[in-house]
Amino acid sequence: MAARVDFVVAESAAKGTAPVRVNQVALEFAGKTTAPIRLSAAFTEAAAKGIAPLRLAFIAIETLVQIESPPTVSTEKFPLSPGLTWGVHVSPKFNTRVAGHVSGREIRTAWQQYAIYEFTLSFDVLRGNTTQEIETLMGFFLARQGQYDTFLLDLGAVTQNTADSYVTMGAQGTGDGTTTVFTLMRTVGEASEPVAYVFSADFSAVYVAGVLQDPTSYTFTSPNTLTFNTAPTSGSQITATFRYYFVCRFAADAQDFEEFMANLWTLHEVKLITVLP
């Protein structure tokens, strides 16, 4: 089977003896109809059998074979018990492509604008018997089906830092006389990023140029969209007050719960990963 290498996108119509065209990825194609396609620089291996078409753009792969839509965001909240212990690890992570040159110079490409967070929690004691803290947490994990389902995390309750859960008159943008829709943001030092989920009941107030707005002049829609009936005037600062949550999933499909005494359990480490809105 012929393989032609270009420079930008890989596209394979894996039907019979169809050729494979490759752009931008280093592709090794091992031979005939049912042979797997191995990609260098992409975490992908496609056993391209039968009539399943495959299209590859840069590093992301999309296989058009009965792929389900991603699940909607669950509003279930991660259960925090008194056994939650210190320390707590909060690890923001970006995805940057760095291409070096023999001259020592380099080109950097940011693949994502906002960080993905990884939270690492520990529970020293989870009580069983009548309290059933262990059943609550284990049952929550089982109901999420490991990594599959999302849930909400009140990070402020974990870190004991109210800024991790609440925004008070936080900057949401600047009016231009045209824009009516704004995404709710939180500020961390000199950075700003969208908040993941806000319940309507937790959205308290909106200010334009420091003036409290009548609730009938705007609409808030969960998870994080603020829509004005009339666009704020150009140059006016928009601020808002609300409580927010991080949308997370479990980082693994398995958890190790240990019973170290009768009806006393521990979970040494559980990792949660945020899902971008």
Side-chain angles (χ1 to χ4, degrees):
M1 176 176 291
R4 289 174 293 183
V5 179
D6 241 348
F7 200 79
V8 194
V9 183
E11 181 180 351
S12 170
K15 299 178 180 178
T17 57
V20 177
R21 290 176 302 234
V22 180
N23 315 320
Q24 181 80 42
V25 246
L27 178 71
E28 280 183 57
F29 181 72
K32 300 178 181 177
T33 48
T34 59
I37 297 175
R38 294 184 300 270
L39 300 178
S40 168
F43 303 102
T44 303
E45 180 175 336
K49 301 181 180 180
I51 58 170
L54 174 69
R55 290 175 300 180
L56 177 68
F58 288 108
I59 301 178
I61 185 168
E62 179 183 9
T63 308
L64 304 179
V65 189
Q66 296 181 352
I67 296 182
E68 298 180 4
S69 299
T72 56
V73 173
S74 168
T75 55
E76 294 294 321
K77 298 176 184 177
F78 184 80
L80 297 172
S81 77
L84 179 67
T85 187
W86 300 102
V88 176
H89 295 263
V90 179
S91 307
K93 179 175 61 177
F94 287 94
N95 184 9
T96 306
R97 181 185 180 189
V98 180
H101 190 270
V102 291
S103 67
R105 295 180 177 176
E106 61 184 26
I107 297 174
R108 296 175 301 280
T109 302
W111 292 120
Q112 63 190 61
Q113 183 178 3
Y114 300 111
I116 296 289
Y117 288 87
E118 183 176 278
F119 305 121
T120 304
L121 314 180
S122 301
F123 292 85
D124 273 354
V125 178
L126 292 166
R127 293 170 292 181
N129 206 358
T130 56
T131 308
Q132 293 303 347
E133 292 167 349
I134 177 63
E135 283 203 1
T136 298
L137 185 53
M138 187 181 295
F140 185 85
F141 174 73
L142 296 174
R144 305 285 79 73
Q145 296 178 257
Q147 299 180 74
Y148 175 70
D149 196 11
T150 57
F151 52 87
L152 304 181
L153 176 68
D154 183 358
L155 184 61
V158 176
T159 62
Q160 303 301 304
N161 181 3
T162 56
D164 288 333
S165 292
Y166 294 89
V167 170
T168 303
M169 292 192 69
Q172 305 303 313
T174 302
D176 58 8
T178 302
T179 303
T180 58
V181 180
F182 295 83
T183 298
L184 296 187
M185 308 289 286
R186 75 171 192 142
T187 300
V188 184
E190 63 181 83
S192 293
E193 60 186 8
V195 298
Y197 203 97
V198 177
F199 289 99
S200 295
D202 291 332
F203 189 80
S204 304
V206 177
Y207 302 82
V208 175
V211 178
L212 178 64
Q213 300 298 292
D214 189 308
T216 61
S217 67
Y218 61 84
T219 302
F220 172 72
T221 306
S222 294
N224 59 4
T225 303
L226 172 63
T227 305
F228 289 96
N229 298 341
T230 303
T233 57
S234 181
S236 58
Q237 297 298 312
I238 301 161
T239 58
T241 298
F242 52 86
R243 180 182 185 176
Y244 66 93
Y245 295 84
F246 286 83
V247 176
C248 299
R249 64 170 174 83
F250 286 100
D253 280 331
Q255 295 296 331
D256 183 18
F257 296 89
E258 176 191 351
E259 186 177 25
F260 61 92
M261 291 181 65
N263 288 316
L264 293 177
W265 296 71
T266 184
L267 179 58
H268 295 293
E269 180 179 275
V270 56
K271 289 183 181 291
L272 314 176
I273 295 178
T274 59
V275 177
L276 290 178

